[in-house]
Amino acid sequence: MTSSNLKKKDFVKAFWRTFSMGASWEFSKQLGVGYAYAMTPLLEKIFKDKPDKLKESLKRNTEFFNVSNFCSSSIMGITASMEEKYAVDDDFDPTTISSIKASLMGPLSAIGDSLMMSTWRIICTSIAAAFALKGNVLGPLLFILAYNIPCTLIRWYGLKYGYTMGVSFFDKLSSSDIIGKLSHYSSILGMIVIGAMTSSYVVMKTPVSFGKGGAKLSLQSDVFNQIIPGLLPLVATFIMYKLLKKGVSVGWIILGTFVLGVICSYFHLLSV
């Protein structure tokens, strides 16, 4: 790989953009558009003389993305190193970039949510609340500093070391078959993560039942759940996936889902 054209000022621009990543959150891609916005200063520098690859990369980086916001910079650093590799090597498979991103979302979200959101934030809140209950102005100030300083440091050093480790990591693997295996297993892990997210985010069940009294048969618990728990959300997800593959726009799918949901709810065919 040739020497990097990325400078500290490029990473500083990307770093500041991570703070507004959640502003563009939406259901179909969640943080995807915000992620591409934060990556733009780096991608414009990497593909400075390659407009076609820049367009391709920007589109790739708007794909579905969801992770604890302050952990996103670590993935950004790794992504930047891989995009650099793709910029100078036409044989590099760009789908590997998406696979690595998807495989890292789950682990980093688990670390970010459990360590910072569910643990450190609660500790900061309890300490700050003790001051606030006594009317001490240090309460809110202590919370703001104690919680946000570590998160900000994670953002910066995650971006810095994610990029540095990504470059050296893929330089060592570029001449071996490990990169192909890594891509393959990352794709599998990414699909597992997406499957788990489908089970958590898509909520759908039916209140339909047959019979009365002790002979009452619930379609949801006695039939669907016996086949596979979460069967209806799985079927709905595959239907939407099929529609997307056929080129149906996300807007029409959302509108159709809304209308169908209202109708099924009115006739007591579906519930949440």
Side-chain angles (χ1 to χ4, degrees), residues 15 41 47 51 96 102 107 125 139 189 213 220 253-254 268 272:
F15 163 75
F47 299 107
T96 304
T125 301
L189 181 57
Q220 180 66 50
I253 293 176
I254 293 175
H268 303 289
V272 294

Side-chain angles (χ1 to χ4, degrees), residues 3 13 23 34-36 40 44 46 62 75 78 91 110 131 140 143 164 168 179 188 196 229:
S3 59
K13 290 179 182 178
Y35 184 87
T40 298
E44 287 180 339
I46 292 171
T62 58
I75 301 179
I78 295 173
D91 293 328
F131 283 93
F143 174 80
T164 304
S168 60
I179 188 68
I188 294 175

